[in-house]
Amino acid sequence: MSRRALQPAVPAALVGAALLALTACAPAADDAAPETAPPVATSPTPSNIPTFSRAPTEVRLPADCKAMLSADVLSQLGTVPLNDPALGVATGVQPDGSLVCIWRDPGADTTGLSTTVSRMNRGPALDMLNELVATQGFSCYTPDAGTRCEKTWINDTYPVNDGRTLYWRDDVLIDTQYSNLAPTGYTASIISSIFG
């Protein structure tokens, strides 16, 4: 014969009595005291607490090709014409706020330097720089809190150096292409002018 665990039965009369006792203790809906929420402690808002709703500071683009260069760099450029209208291209400040600077004698076959300072968001800028590394053999490093990529090569027609230097930081791109004209400290001077 199997043994079953026995559960003590609770008499129905006992359960009914317990329910009756519980409901007898609760006040009727009509004579219940009105419920009030406990007071919430409030304190005046101090007026000296700053509110941080500031957007990131936007770096100001330069508006003058000469003003963004140091005296030393300008002396290296010497008498090379700047933004000569005979080049037939748009130079100076552009409608989108970018700045185009071309140091070149219109009569020269190859000697010249062209720089564009413009806005470019991080994603597109890094995609472009990675593409230059992967497909054109540019070298990149990270000076002055930014990313700089560069490459030099021999000109196809003349025995002179051509090159391109790009520097990106804080959504600003400095893009310089040159042929037989590469003043020492040129890009560093522009970086210093823009970012301090």
Side-chain angles (χ1 to χ4, degrees):
M1 176 172 174
S2 63
R3 304 175 74 183
R4 288 190 331 188
L6 298 175
Q7 302 266 338
V10 178
L14 202 56
V15 172
L19 287 174
L20 184 59
L22 288 175
T23 54
C25 294
D30 292 339
D31 45 315
E35 291 186 16
T36 56
V40 177
T42 58
S43 58
T45 304
S47 58
N48 59 350
I49 296 177
T51 302
F52 296 102
S53 58
R54 171 176 63 102
T57 303
E58 187 174 86
V59 177
R60 185 178 211 159
L61 295 181
D64 187 313
C65 295
K66 288 186 176 180
M68 68 181 181
L69 299 176
S70 67
D72 177 55
V73 172
L74 288 171
S75 70
Q76 293 177 62
L77 288 166
T79 59
V80 178
L82 169 64
N83 296 340
D84 194 303
L87 294 172
V89 295
T91 57
V93 178
Q94 303 300 299
D96 64 356
S98 61
L99 178 66
V100 177
C101 307
I102 301 177
W103 299 85
R104 180 172 181 159
D105 184 334
D109 288 340
T110 187
T111 301
L113 170 70
S114 172
T115 297
T116 301
V117 183
S118 61
R119 296 203 184 281
M120 184 176 282
N121 292 335
R122 177 184 177 83
L126 297 185
D127 286 347
M128 181 189 69
L129 297 177
N130 284 326
E131 181 71 13
L132 291 174
V133 170
T135 63
Q136 297 184 35
F138 275 69
S139 298
C140 296
Y141 57 106
T142 54
D144 305 312
T147 300
R148 179 170 173 154
C149 298
E150 52 194 21
K151 180 183 176 182
T152 58
W153 58 91
I154 301 298
N155 185 282
D156 291 338
T157 307
Y158 301 96
V160 298
N161 285 334
D162 289 356
R164 185 178 181 189
T165 300
L166 303 100
Y167 178 85
W168 180 89
R169 173 178 165 186
D170 295 340
D171 293 345
V172 173
L173 179 69
I174 304 166
D175 186 351
T176 300
Q177 299 183 56
Y178 59 90
S179 179
N180 196 37
L181 182 63
T184 302
Y186 180 85
T187 299
S189 180
I190 299 173
I191 292 168
S192 178
S193 172
I194 295 173
F195 300 103

